Amino acid sequence: FWYKQQPAADSQKLPANDNNMANYQSPSNQKTAAPGFKRYANETYGFSLEYPKDFGVNVFPHEFGESVLIEKNDREGFQIYITEFDEEGPLTAARIKKDMPNLKMEGAQEVVIGGAPTIVFFSSDAQLGRTREAWFVWPPSPTPHGNYLYQITAKAEFDEKLSQIMATLTFV
C-alpha cells in the first residue's frame, strides 16, 4: 500500500472510509507474484505490478504512448494511460487544473506510488460514473528518452482493490 503524504492544494477532506488509495505507500520490489495474483511487466515503460489472476490484460498503443487495460469485467478493473510529457515532475493538483480547469478533482491527495509522487483524487466520467484517479510523472526528470504522464483510472468502488494492486507497482 502507499502512505498519505499530505493533502494537495485545493483538496477536500474525504470520509475515512472513502479514501483507501490515499493511505498507503508501495513496498520494496518483489520479484514473484503473491498467491492469487499474476505479474504484469511493461518493458517499454519499465514498470511492473501484480493483478488478480482472474483479470485480463490488454495493451493499446497510441501515437505518443499506450493504454494498459487490466480488468475482470466492466465493474472490476482499471486503465493506465501513458503518454509523453515534456515537463519535470512531480505533478501537482494545480498543474492538472491549469490544463484541465473543468476537471472535477474531489479530495485530491499527494501520495507515493512505486516511488513516484502521485496525485490521487475522485472524479467523474460520462461512461464510468464516479472514478478514482491517480496521476503522476515518471521519471521525475526527463531522461535522454523523456518522461511520461501516467493516468490511472478506475470506478470509485474499485478503490480498495486498486490500492492493493498499486502497492505492487515498481519501476526498474
Side-chain angles (χ1 to χ4, degrees):
F1 293 82
W2 49 88
Y3 296 107
K4 183 169 92 173
Q5 290 183 325
Q6 59 190 350
D10 308 331
S11 70
Q12 300 172 20
K13 191 92 170 154
L14 292 178
N17 66 350
D18 199 19
N19 205 14
N20 292 310
M21 200 160 158
N23 291 321
Y24 305 100
Q25 180 169 338
S26 299
S28 60
N29 272 346
Q30 200 175 303
K31 298 298 178 198
T32 58
F37 286 80
K38 291 181 183 178
R39 179 164 291 282
Y40 169 74
N42 186 304
E43 293 182 19
T44 304
Y45 298 98
F47 72 91
S48 68
L49 56 78
E50 294 181 13
Y51 63 94
K53 67 179 180 182
D54 57 345
F55 282 46
V57 177
N58 290 294
V59 179
F60 304 97
H62 53 82
E63 186 178 0
F64 300 107
E66 67 185 30
S67 294
V68 179
L69 182 61
I70 301 176
E71 66 180 345
K72 179 177 181 177
N73 54 47
D74 64 353
R75 293 181 325 278
E76 299 176 276
F78 61 98
Q79 173 182 282
I80 304 172
Y81 179 82
I82 308 163
T83 191
E84 295 175 357
F85 198 68
D86 61 358
E87 296 178 26
E88 288 194 13
L91 193 61
T92 64
R95 176 65 185 88
I96 293 169
K97 290 302 256 180
K98 178 181 170 189
D99 281 348
M100 304 178 78
N102 295 326
L103 178 67
K104 181 180 174 185
M105 293 181 72
E106 178 187 329
Q109 302 273 330
E110 294 177 5
V111 301
V112 174
I113 298 177
T118 303
I119 297 293
V120 296
F121 56 93
F122 288 101
S123 193
S124 60
D125 178 86
Q127 291 181 324
L128 297 175
R130 188 166 188 244
T131 60
R132 176 50 122 176
E133 308 279 340
W135 294 20
F136 60 88
V137 173
W138 192 261
S141 296
T143 64
H145 304 292
N147 56 357
Y148 298 92
L149 172 64
Y150 291 74
Q151 295 170 287
I152 301 166
T153 303
K155 288 190 172 193
E157 54 270 12
F158 194 68
D159 183 41
E160 185 173 350
K161 181 63 93 175
L162 182 62
S163 70
Q164 295 169 355
I165 293 168
M166 289 297 107
T168 69
L169 188 136
T170 58
F171 287 93
V172 265

